[in-house]
Amino acid sequence: RALLSKREAAGVRELGSIAMALPKGPAQEHLEKLDSVFGPEYFEHGRLLVTVARDVPGMMKVAHKLQGKLNQNLGAMVEVIFEHVKQELWAKLHEASGNVGLHKGPEVPECQVTQIPEGIRLNPYQRDQLPTLEVLLLWEDSNRATRGQVLYTVSHPECPTVDQLPTL
């Protein structure tokens, strides 16, 4: 689905030289909240990267409910991208690297679900604790540089529940 520009998401359509304002919706309210945090003109559209530990019981259900909530509230303002990680693989990698002294290398760009420049976040498999659920906002600033901000993260063994979604 094509992403709308910031003005379209805000409910402003230009008809010739006349701009017509539509009633505010949830997307406009969220846009105003983001403007208050990041400042105006911070991005035309963004990407939300939702990292979820797919082999932790209950996490996929929470992640799918979160996706529905994000789509309902933010609509086309952001693209929601899922990144699946596995606790079992993380444990094996950390055991092997600890026993043999292997170095966990950088992310391979071709294997990423979306481009995340170095310095914005540490690969989940390189961390001391794997995130069971994490939401990362990515956007391009006025200089076309990708920026990012972690909005929510929970590390293993903690696991958010469906009941906690309204507070996320």
Side-chain angles (χ1 to χ4, degrees):
R1 159 171 110 187
L3 296 176
L4 299 176
S5 74
K6 186 175 176 182
R7 289 181 60 83
E8 290 170 325
V12 176
R13 306 285 191 265
E14 292 197 21
L15 303 172
S17 63
I18 301 171
M20 182 174 77
L22 300 175
K24 286 185 182 181
Q28 175 63 29
E29 292 171 7
H30 284 284
L31 184 60
E32 289 172 359
K33 287 179 189 174
L34 290 171
D35 279 343
S36 70
V37 173
F38 297 105
E41 304 303 324
Y42 56 94
F43 67 79
E44 286 293 316
H45 69 270
R47 295 172 284 157
L48 279 177
L49 178 64
V50 179
T51 302
V52 59
R54 65 177 297 133
D55 60 342
V56 173
M59 287 313 306
M60 289 305 294
K61 182 176 182 178
V62 170
H64 285 120
K65 295 276 186 183
L66 177 60
Q67 181 182 26
K69 182 179 176 181
L70 291 170
N71 287 334
Q72 177 185 2
N73 290 330
L74 299 175
M77 282 178 48
V78 295
E79 177 184 7
V80 179
I81 303 166
F82 269 81
E83 174 183 55
H84 296 174
V85 294
K86 289 190 170 186
Q87 171 62 28
E88 180 182 2
L89 179 58
W90 177 89
K92 287 180 182 177
L93 285 172
H94 279 261
E95 181 181 325
S97 65
N99 292 341
V100 183
L102 296 175
H103 170 69
K104 298 177 228 49
E107 293 188 69
V108 179
E110 295 80 26
C111 297
Q112 292 178 319
V113 294
T114 190
Q115 292 297 320
I116 305 169
E118 192 150 335
I120 290 181
R121 69 141 191 196
L122 185 61
N123 179 312
Y125 289 110
Q126 293 177 322
R127 300 182 197 179
D128 291 336
Q129 290 189 294
L130 185 75
T132 53
L133 184 66
E134 182 172 270
V135 179
L136 172 68
L137 173 63
L138 298 166
W139 73 95
E140 288 184 359
D141 64 16
S142 58
N143 297 324
R144 309 294 293 161
T146 301
R147 305 222 11 229
Q149 174 71 40
V150 174
L151 302 177
Y152 179 81
T153 188
V154 175
S155 296
H156 190 269
E158 300 295 319
C159 298
T161 63
V162 173
D163 297 336
Q164 292 174 314
L165 281 178
T167 62
L168 298 183

